[in-house]
Amino acid sequence: MSSDKFQLKQTLNRLDGRSYKAYHDIKGEFQFDQFTVFVDHVQGDPFAKPSRVRVRVPRQFARFPENTVKNKSRTIALRDFLARNFHNAARKYSGGNRGTGHSGDIRIQKPGQEILERSSIIVTDDFVEARFTMGLPAFGRRIAGQHAAAMFLNELPQIVEHSLFYKNLDQNDLYNHIETSEDADALREKLETVNIVAFVADGAILPRASGIDPRPLSRGNVVPFQSPGPFRLEIELPNRGKITGMGVPEGITLIVGGGYHGKSTLLKAIETGIYNHIPGDGREFTVTVPGAVKIRAMDGRNIEKVNISPFINNLPFGTDTTAFSTENASGSTSQAATIIEAVEMKASLLLIDEDTSATNFMIRDHRMQELVSKDKEPITPFIDKTRQLFEGLRVSTILVIGGSGDYFSVADHVIGMKDYLPVDMTRAAHDISEKYKTERRHEGGASFGGLTERVPIKESFDPSRGRKAVKISAGGLHSIGFGTYTIDLSDLEQLVDIGQTRAIADAIYHATRYMQGNRTLKEIIRDVLSVIDEKGFDVLDRVPSGEYAAFRGFELAGAINRLRSIRMRQAEKKD
Ligand code: ADP
Ligand code: MG
């Protein structure tokens, strides 16, 4: 069935000037000198989503040495590196947009600051494969066959030549990429063996160029990170050798300090430490345990059958908070539910910033306790629950708190930020809480309280829109269209790559296959992640897609929890 590149050229010449639909004739497989081109999906018109194409280079031609793929960590970094090179080569060697709509465009998913497993590049024992899109060119609705021939026969071979063959890559950059990522993985694994939840390397650059530009800040005076004595740790990495930095121990840690002194910037760096970063990012060795979940308030979100009773009780009209549902959460109930949902998915570290928290969820001070008695206040503030979370469930917390010294008495560690540098303030904070005894009463009871797992009801996941067709899409980093619903993910701050959002969108639908009987949300998500781990992202789509990036169970659960049609029931008590 396979044709060669000359036949492809002939076909494209023949199609020149014909109506756009005739492009369907090039669907299939074409043998080039050192690789095979697969045209998997042909777009219906020049404005539609561009056509999906793959290029497969046999390993004996690509010639990547064994040490670039000798373990999972290296293979993922190699794939990520090749995706970046393909992206750059496509910009350089493609003739770019010409003609109508997406005509002329050759494009692979653009990677950002994170080194992620991406479906845009696949490496097996036999081949290296790139997956990308091509805007098949047209003028109006007429096929531009000559341009298409140039794209396939001149531009594409140059792009492939410069990005998928070992000998044509910058080998120093390649090994630096691979070794940096392998070191970050090793560092992350080491954290748990020394009871550390986050590590920030000395010399790290934490601030970003801007609120919408995740590249490192390079203007003005950038203060590189320097670990404060008592938190300093030396760790040996497989490639780089010994590095030093700040280890944040398990337990409850406060980040305090004056406004604009770098508190939120430090927390943000810890949040993104669940990912590896590219060389030059500044956060290469800033890593966090994989179970770290950023928690924030998001009033207006929906909540479905969450047992928020550890935090919220005695709501007006006797509303049941052991199976709490709402279409329109308040700031405090949203924050409570988000914590319970994270713990349901086995989070090991919560990250909370006062900037994005509900004040009444975080604290109720002595005077307020006097004015509004406990039996009139549904909320048990986080300050009275954080120790129970750690002692009962081994869930640590790192909190940015600039406004409430009441937290000193529940904290194990206090890090002060001063002129963008951390100092150990644990002793000073504990001395103050001895000297100025707070009269506030503990309101958290004896233990954290009940946790209830939930079982999603399959029928509530309907991705169709009116007629039969399944309609799922990622509308941006923080938005998924699922049937007639739009899922707002803007409070899932640890999503970093639109490839993750695309994968999550399709994984929600895939997850419905595992919804049966009493399978809980946690079990279903575990099923989805393990099938992807075993078989790759291709289980998520009918046509091989280059648009996915690796995501965590927390974010998949987060998206499901925010789907407004979702119905759950609570599982029978288990432990
Ligand atoms: P806080 O939370 O303490 O109010 P932020 O973390 O928001 O402060 O930081 C305030 C500003 O300082 C931000 O614009 C941030 O980019 C910048 N900044 C943070 N850390 C550094 C640093 N190490 N060097 C230079 N600028 C920094
Ligand atoms: Mg702040």
Side-chain angles (χ1 to χ4, degrees), residues 43-199:
Q43 66 204 93
D45 68 73
F47 294 97
K49 270 188 92 180
S51 304
R52 281 151 81 159
V53 183
R54 285 177 294 145
V55 161
R56 189 177 278 188
V57 186
R59 285 281 297 276
Q60 75 255 32
F61 296 143
R63 298 191 78 83
F64 286 94
E66 188 48 37
N67 65 7
T68 60
V69 291
K70 76 176 181 204
N71 55 43
K72 194 172 177 191
S73 174
R74 285 189 170 227
T75 309
I76 288 173
L78 169 67
R79 290 166 59 189
D80 180 276
F81 186 79
L82 298 183
R84 289 165 201 276
N85 275 267
F86 192 104
H87 183 264
N88 295 339
R91 289 182 55 161
K92 194 161 164 196
Y93 298 106
S94 138
N97 207 271
R98 62 206 101 150
T100 310
H102 302 294
S103 287
D105 207 36
I106 303 179
R107 191 181 292 267
I108 200 163
Q109 276 289 294
K110 185 181 183 197
Q113 295 300 110
E114 297 77 22
I115 298 174
L116 294 174
E117 179 166 14
R118 301 174 188 284
S119 69
S120 57
I121 301 281
I122 306 292
V123 176
T124 72
D125 290 344
D126 302 321
F127 58 78
V128 174
E129 180 174 290
R131 300 163 169 200
F132 51 95
T133 59
M134 291 175 74
L136 297 178
F139 294 109
R141 306 264 157 193
R142 301 260 154 235
I143 288 178
Q146 310 296 330
H147 288 287
M151 288 173 73
F152 277 101
L153 289 124
N154 304 339
E155 297 164 27
L156 188 55
Q158 290 195 69
I159 295 167
V160 172
E161 175 81 17
H162 286 92
S163 62
L164 301 181
F165 289 83
Y166 178 69
K167 65 174 191 315
N168 296 332
L169 297 173
D170 183 319
Q171 288 153 20
N172 283 333
D173 283 357
L174 167 63
Y175 279 101
N176 190 19
H177 202 81
I178 288 177
E179 288 168 6
T180 299
S181 197
E182 186 180 44
D183 276 348
D185 282 334
L187 180 55
R188 196 173 292 108
E189 263 169 44
K190 231 163 232 185
L191 294 188
E192 282 166 280
T193 65
V194 288
N195 304 324
I196 294 289
V197 291
F199 182 87

Side-chain angles (χ1 to χ4, degrees), residues 207-208 217 221-224 258-266 355 420:
R208 299 294 99 190
L217 178 64
N221 297 320
V222 182
V223 182
Y260 221 71
H261 277 255
K263 303 184 300 293
S264 295
T265 302
L266 173 59
D355 290 354
Y420 306 131

Side-chain angles (χ1 to χ4, degrees), residues 438-514:
T438 169
E439 291 171 81
R440 88 174 287 282
R441 289 177 296 276
H442 174 82
E443 299 181 337
S447 67
F448 183 71
L451 292 170
T452 318
E453 286 206 54
R454 294 169 303 150
V455 176
I457 294 166
K458 187 173 183 166
E459 291 65 38
S460 65
F461 292 75
D462 178 11
S464 65
R465 206 179 282 173
R467 282 163 291 130
K468 274 228 172 86
V470 170
K471 197 75 195 159
I472 304 168
S473 62
L477 179 59
H478 288 116
S479 172
I480 289 174
F482 193 85
T484 52
Y485 292 90
T486 301
I487 312 176
D488 180 356
L489 306 175
S490 46
D491 58 328
L492 299 184
E493 296 185 351
Q494 287 166 297
L495 275 180
V496 291
D497 190 298
I498 192 166
Q500 298 179 306
T501 315
R502 295 211 169 95
I504 288 171
D506 290 333
I508 296 174
Y509 183 52
H510 190 78
T512 57
R513 296 189 189 189
Y514 305 99

Side-chain angles (χ1 to χ4, degrees), residues 225-251:
F225 192 82
Q226 245 175 58
S227 54
F231 293 95
R232 187 167 304 143
L233 214 65
E234 186 181 82
I235 291 189
E236 173 125 26
L237 302 178
N239 303 302
R240 173 164 289 238
K242 291 192 167 96
I243 63 164
T244 58
M246 175 175 86
V248 179
E250 290 175 350

